[in-house]
Amino acid sequence: MDGFIARANIDHYLDLLKGPDVPAGTRSTITKLLLDEENKLGREQEHLEFAESRATTCRENADRQRRLTDAFVPGTSERIQAERLLDHFEAIASLVESACLQMRHRLNDNSL
């Protein structure tokens, strides 16, 4: 049951972090909560697969945002906002990918 709740919370926090207008303090708090939930997933292969699927989705979101950003004229307010959102998406992707790496290390350490 705890794994299910952690997964639901992770999805919820990732959705919250997608917003372009999340204040820095709130973003920091949500990021901390996201990391806490990822740490709860523990050392099971199933949890790693879940985290890796979320990392893939986050990277795809960042790639899609990069393409959208490139479509705007440099220096316009739309481009500036798109770049800010791209920065957020890339930060989220890096965060989730780092959590996956840590989970892989924990799994490998357990298997020894």
Side-chain angles (χ1 to χ4, degrees), residues 32-98:
K32 182 187 177 316
L33 292 169
L34 173 65
L35 288 172
D36 290 345
E37 291 301 321
E38 287 174 339
N39 287 331
K40 289 178 187 177
L41 288 181
R43 297 173 166 86
E44 296 178 23
Q45 182 66 33
E46 177 185 349
H47 297 311
L48 175 59
E49 290 168 3
F50 168 81
E52 287 178 336
S53 74
R54 292 314 180 266
T56 298
T57 300
C58 289
R59 183 53 56 199
E60 289 169 352
N61 289 340
D63 291 342
R64 184 174 31 258
Q65 184 61 33
R66 186 175 299 103
R67 288 189 300 273
L68 289 171
T69 299
D70 290 342
F72 291 111
V73 176
T76 62
S77 62
E78 292 85 3
R79 174 73 178 242
I80 292 168
Q81 183 176 1
E83 288 172 345
R84 195 173 76 231
L85 190 55
L86 174 59
D87 289 343
H88 294 309
F89 281 0
E90 287 179 337
I92 294 166
S94 293
L95 178 74
V96 175
E97 288 166 352
S98 292

